[in-house]
Amino acid sequence: MNTCKCSKAEFDRERNETLSAQPEGKGLVTIEEEPIIGETPQAILKSWLTPNPLFYIRNHYTIPEWDSDWELSLGGHVNSALSFTLHDFHSFPIQTLPVTLECAGNNRSDLEPQVPGNPFQNGAVSTAIWAGVPLRHLLERAGISEGAVEVLFEGYDAGQPDPSVDVQPYLRSLPIDVAMHPDTLLAYEMNGEPLSREHGYPVRLVVPGWYGMASVKWLKRITVLQEAFEGFFQTDRYIVESDDGEPVPISKMHVKSLISWPEPNTALTVQSHMINGMAWSGFAHIAKVEVSDDGGETWNEADLVGPRYRYSWQQWNIAWTPKSAGHYTLVARATDEDGNIQPLETRWNSLGYIINGVRPVCVEVS
Amino acid sequence: MNTCKCSKAEFDRERNETLSAQPEGKGLVTIEEEPIIGETPQAILKSWLTPNPLFYIRNHYTIPEWDSDWELSLGGHVNSALSFTLHDFHSFPIQTLPVTLECAGNNRSDLEPQVPGNPFQNGAVSTAIWAGVPLRHLLERAGISEGAVEVLFEGYDAGQPDPSVDVQPYLRSLPIDVAMHPDTLLAYEMNGEPLSREHGYPVRLVVPGWYGMASVKWLKRITVLQEAFEGFFQTDRYIVESDDGEPVPISKMHVKSLISWPEPNTALTVQSHMINGMAWSGFAHIAKVEVSDDGGETWNEADLVGPRYRYSWQQWNIAWTPKSAGHYTLVARATDEDGNIQPLETRWNSLGYIINGVRPVCVEVS
């Protein structure tokens, strides 16, 4: 071919080696070792940008390997089936976007009564600057045929997700309008570094505003579908039941906030403290965050600070001076610009998703 | 004191150890080893966010050490002199801001005739997400007295900058209005990580929009002044001569762009290529970037892509198909929203600053 390809590939390899000297996952709070599942430590949730080694990981299967050079195939209900190499990706338009991803099961350990599933505390949420190619660019090259309704994504990773079903690759679909949205990315870069193996090297999907299960890693195949996909992680998991018992697939992140500081059970003195945290919603910008020091009786509005971007969490802080010594229950509640209000109580569901009720943080003031 | 202080300090220490496993400076293009001076490699200039280990470094003296716990003193022409610990900083309001810093001598090696000074190519420019406390917050606590005109910043680092002058700390001042601007930061965090030693741990100044020399590292003392500061790096260096021979201190970054890809002398074929790069100005948002494939005869406007923030560079790309085989000279030219246009030729100056003329990139198409 040409020398630029060689030198770029060589450079990427060297860069990867340099940057991955720090093994991913080290420093995370381990939930499971195989496949790797870990959450971001509480103290890191104070930072708007999550450093790559501390970005939460929720893998479904073992990190995949494959023999030949990586290629991504794009087919199904399209005018012309195509395949793409990593070199192709670097010759397409770049899109860079700050995006917060949250695992649908974040805070699952808070549910009462408890449910099975990874017992996340509040750290299965992180923010990175992602760069890649708009998925739309590839779909337009292939040409979507009339009647297409969904786009299916297959990862190189595979396994048996449940004893009741066969070994299968990780598969998730998106409605065609979400797939065609200019901000839906095929990302090859995370915080200025090539994706690490743990986060989907060389190319993963990033669906801004959606819970993390939609952002398929280690992409292998993209298939345009004429009918809705049914599969284990589409129709058996990542669903909640509606009030009348119907299964509803989960998609956008519901409005939520967390208190970064103080941590639970922090001992404080009667002086001014800066309570701070994050708030996010997959539906709209955060409109306000309110904080209560009496467990939700009265509320004070926090200052929204730092970057204010569509798909990343909103940092907030509020000065607080306890009136006197004693026990305090701090809570934060976010509201987004669509009028969605973080509920005081999570709606309990048997698989433990969308756990966005306000979370009390108890502190002792002496 | 209280347990939160201890646990936070302990956590910060552990976090620092984990994150600094990757030594800073490794991977940079070395300009000088002592003090550390290095630039970001060309291939990394393609990423909007610069990973910390690859963020350019231009230190003036050896990285300082000090015996006691770090403290920052604030005095001079104020109502009450104060001092602050790192713990205090974490109890102040947080500000998080994406900021591009460029060394005033970036591209110095391009000057003809050559001048003394660090022979930077085009990599003494990088972008990070900085977090810290607005300087204004501290100045308001101390109370600025009537008649203050500048604020002086002293780093813990010291040395003899030139045989003609004494050993001295690194000292730089800012006009009072710049110091009081809500976006002028005392930063303790860079891309979600505590500052590394090379980048000014524990706290440095970040002056958005200004060349890097203003963003004093390893802060030791802040002094509010009633008259303009004169010092080696204020009035002997970091100045250019006006057309009538008067010394003019440099401040805001002049409008400029770089071509990230292709690199100079890349061998290409006659097909579609995606030329991409960055553009920035300390004065305003970037309004447009134009690219020429005939050395500046004719220009085509590039797409501005990715984040569009006030103080960070603007990513751009443009599809380009060479008409035929041969030698091409590619150039990019940025214009900001204040109407500043990147000049075709740098204004030569004897110290080699503000080198923002368009920079040709030659490629061979076969």
Side-chain angles (χ1 to χ4, degrees):
Chain A
M1 270 292 289
N2 55 46
T3 61
C4 70
K5 178 177 176 180
C6 307
S7 67
K8 183 70 176 74
E10 199 177 328
F11 177 80
D12 279 348
R13 198 170 48 247
E14 283 178 15
R15 190 182 178 194
N16 243 331
E17 281 168 11
T18 306
L19 293 171
S20 62
Q22 164 86 41
E24 302 283 317
K26 184 170 179 291
L28 289 181
V29 179
T30 302
I31 303 289
E32 199 170 310
E33 293 198 348
E34 188 55 47
I36 299 177
I37 302 175
E39 63 180 295
T40 303
Q42 167 79 34
I44 303 295
L45 298 173
K46 191 171 176 173
S47 300
W48 182 80
L49 193 78
T50 314
N52 284 347
L54 299 172
F55 197 105
Y56 89 87
I57 300 175
R58 196 292 188 235
N59 291 343
H60 296 81
Y61 305 122
T62 300
I63 294 172
E65 298 193 4
W66 49 90
D67 294 331
S68 46
D69 283 348
W70 178 84
E71 276 201 356
L72 174 64
S73 68
L74 168 51
H77 203 55
V78 294
N79 299 338
S80 39
L82 298 172
S83 72
F84 304 97
T85 65
L86 195 53
H87 180 249
D88 293 329
F89 268 77
H90 289 286
S91 70
F92 293 152
I94 301 171
Q95 170 66 301
T96 302
L97 212 55
V99 174
T100 296
L101 292 182
E102 183 189 16
C103 180
N106 191 24
N107 287 94
R108 187 180 282 126
S109 67
D110 294 341
L111 277 187
E112 289 288 346
Q114 292 274 305
V115 296
N118 299 300
F120 291 115
Q121 300 183 56
N122 63 342
V125 56
S126 305
T127 298
I129 311 280
W130 305 90
V133 178
L135 168 61
R136 178 187 187 125
H137 182 78
L138 273 64
L139 292 174
E140 285 177 343
R141 281 181 166 242
I144 295 177
S145 303
E146 194 81 26
V149 297
E150 282 193 353
V151 180
L152 179 65
F153 302 88
E154 178 181 336
Y156 267 97
D157 54 330
Q160 195 180 14
D162 190 87
S164 66
V165 294
D166 291 339
V167 170
Q168 54 191 272
Y170 186 71
L171 288 161
R172 285 278 311 180
S173 72
L174 284 177
I176 197 87
D177 61 318
V178 176
M180 286 296 284
H181 192 285
D183 292 335
T184 299
L185 282 191
L186 297 171
Y188 50 75
E189 200 182 277
M190 180 179 181
N191 290 337
E193 302 179 5
L195 291 184
S196 66
R197 291 180 65 236
E198 289 75 5
H199 289 285
Y201 179 87
V203 175
R204 69 176 293 176
L205 189 61
V206 171
V207 186
W210 282 50
Y211 285 108
M213 76 283 154
S215 293
V216 179
K217 296 176 176 178
W218 312 288
L219 280 174
K220 180 182 186 178
R221 196 189 327 269
I222 297 176
T223 312
V224 177
L225 302 179
Q226 286 177 280
E227 51 193 28
F229 170 68
E230 293 186 4
F232 186 80
F233 286 116
Q234 192 86 23
T235 45
D236 287 5
R237 291 291 185 279
Y238 296 120
I239 54 160
V240 291
E241 284 192 354
S242 69
D243 289 335
D244 50 7
E246 287 302 304
V248 179
I250 68 178
S251 55
K252 288 186 183 175
M253 300 184 295
H254 285 221
V255 63
K256 185 167 173 177
S257 64
L258 65 82
I259 294 177
S260 309
W261 192 92
E263 300 185 30
N265 304 314
T266 299
L268 302 174
T269 52
V270 178
Q271 65 178 82
S272 177
H273 300 284
M274 190 60 70
I275 303 175
N276 57 62
M278 302 291 174
W280 63 98
S281 164
F283 293 85
H285 279 92
I286 292 298
K288 67 174 172 179
V289 173
E290 299 160 291
V291 172
S292 166
D293 68 357
D294 53 11
E297 288 275 300
T298 57
W299 297 89
N300 290 296
E301 201 166 329
D303 291 319
L304 304 184
V305 295
R308 184 164 178 76
Y309 309 145
R310 175 62 187 86
Y311 302 117
S312 60
W313 55 16
Q314 173 72 58
Q315 210 164 8
W316 56 266
N317 58 205
I318 185 170
W320 176 64
T321 306
K323 288 167 211 74
S324 58
H327 178 92
Y328 289 85
T329 303
L330 304 173
V331 289
R333 174 173 71 179
T335 302
D336 72 21
E337 291 191 342
D338 275 1
N340 299 302
I341 304 175
Q342 184 179 359
L344 294 182
E345 298 285 344
T346 291
R347 184 173 177 286
W348 188 93
N349 61 101
S350 61
L351 295 173
Y353 299 124
I354 315 181
I355 300 129
N356 69 329
V358 300
R359 189 192 209 216
V361 171
C362 298
V363 295
E364 297 294 335
V365 177
S366 61
Chain B
M1 270 293 289
N2 54 46
T3 61
C4 69
K5 178 177 175 180
C6 305
S7 68
K8 183 70 174 76
E10 199 177 327
F11 178 81
D12 279 350
R13 198 169 47 247
E14 283 178 15
R15 189 182 179 196
N16 243 331
E17 280 168 12
T18 305
L19 294 169
S20 61
Q22 164 85 41
E24 302 283 316
K26 183 170 179 291
L28 289 180
V29 180
T30 301
I31 302 289
E32 200 170 309
E33 293 198 347
E34 187 57 47
I36 299 177
I37 302 175
E39 63 180 295
T40 304
Q42 167 79 34
I44 302 294
L45 298 173
K46 192 171 175 173
S47 299
W48 182 81
L49 193 78
T50 314
N52 284 347
L54 299 171
F55 196 104
Y56 89 88
I57 300 175
R58 195 293 188 232
N59 291 343
H60 296 81
Y61 304 122
T62 300
I63 293 173
E65 299 193 4
W66 48 91
D67 294 331
S68 46
D69 282 349
W70 179 84
E71 278 202 354
L72 174 65
S73 68
L74 168 52
H77 203 55
V78 294
N79 299 339
S80 38
L82 298 172
S83 74
F84 304 96
T85 65
L86 195 53
H87 180 249
D88 292 329
F89 269 78
H90 289 287
S91 70
F92 293 152
I94 301 171
Q95 170 66 302
T96 302
L97 212 55
V99 174
T100 296
L101 292 181
E102 183 189 15
C103 180
N106 190 25
N107 286 95
R108 186 179 282 126
S109 67
D110 295 341
L111 277 188
E112 288 288 346
Q114 292 273 306
V115 297
N118 299 300
F120 291 114
Q121 301 182 58
N122 63 341
V125 56
S126 304
T127 298
I129 310 279
W130 305 91
V133 178
L135 168 61
R136 178 187 186 124
H137 181 78
L138 275 63
L139 293 173
E140 285 177 343
R141 280 181 167 243
I144 295 177
S145 303
E146 194 80 26
V149 297
E150 282 193 352
V151 180
L152 179 64
F153 302 88
E154 178 181 336
Y156 267 97
D157 54 330
Q160 194 179 14
D162 191 87
S164 66
V165 294
D166 292 338
V167 170
Q168 53 191 271
Y170 186 71
L171 287 161
R172 284 279 311 180
S173 71
L174 285 178
I176 197 87
D177 61 317
V178 177
M180 287 296 285
H181 192 285
D183 292 335
T184 299
L185 282 191
L186 297 172
Y188 50 75
E189 200 182 277
M190 180 178 181
N191 290 337
E193 301 180 5
L195 292 184
S196 67
R197 291 179 66 235
E198 289 75 4
H199 288 286
Y201 179 87
V203 174
R204 69 176 292 176
L205 191 61
V206 171
V207 186
W210 283 49
Y211 285 109
M213 77 283 153
S215 294
V216 179
K217 296 176 176 178
W218 312 288
L219 279 174
K220 179 183 188 178
R221 196 186 328 268
I222 298 176
T223 311
V224 177
L225 302 179
Q226 285 177 280
E227 51 195 27
F229 170 69
E230 294 187 3
F232 186 80
F233 286 115
Q234 191 87 22
T235 46
D236 286 6
R237 290 292 184 278
Y238 296 121
I239 54 161
V240 291
E241 284 192 355
S242 68
D243 289 336
D244 50 7
E246 288 301 304
V248 179
I250 67 178
S251 55
K252 288 186 183 175
M253 300 184 295
H254 285 221
V255 64
K256 185 166 173 177
S257 64
L258 65 82
I259 294 176
S260 309
W261 191 92
E263 300 185 29
N265 304 315
T266 299
L268 301 174
T269 52
V270 178
Q271 65 178 81
S272 176
H273 299 283
M274 189 60 69
I275 303 175
N276 56 63
M278 303 291 173
W280 62 98
S281 164
F283 293 85
H285 278 92
I286 292 298
K288 68 174 172 179
V289 174
E290 298 160 292
V291 173
S292 167
D293 68 357
D294 53 11
E297 288 276 299
T298 56
W299 297 89
N300 290 296
E301 202 167 329
D303 291 319
L304 305 183
V305 295
R308 184 163 178 77
Y309 309 144
R310 174 62 187 85
Y311 302 116
S312 59
W313 55 16
Q314 174 71 57
Q315 211 164 8
W316 55 266
N317 58 206
I318 186 171
W320 176 64
T321 306
K323 287 166 212 74
S324 58
H327 177 93
Y328 289 85
T329 303
L330 304 174
V331 288
R333 174 174 71 178
T335 302
D336 72 20
E337 291 192 342
D338 275 1
N340 299 302
I341 303 174
Q342 184 178 1
L344 294 182
E345 296 286 344
T346 291
R347 183 174 177 285
W348 187 93
N349 60 101
S350 61
L351 295 174
Y353 300 124
I354 315 182
I355 300 128
N356 69 329
V358 301
R359 190 191 208 216
V361 171
C362 298
V363 295
E364 298 294 335
V365 177
S366 61

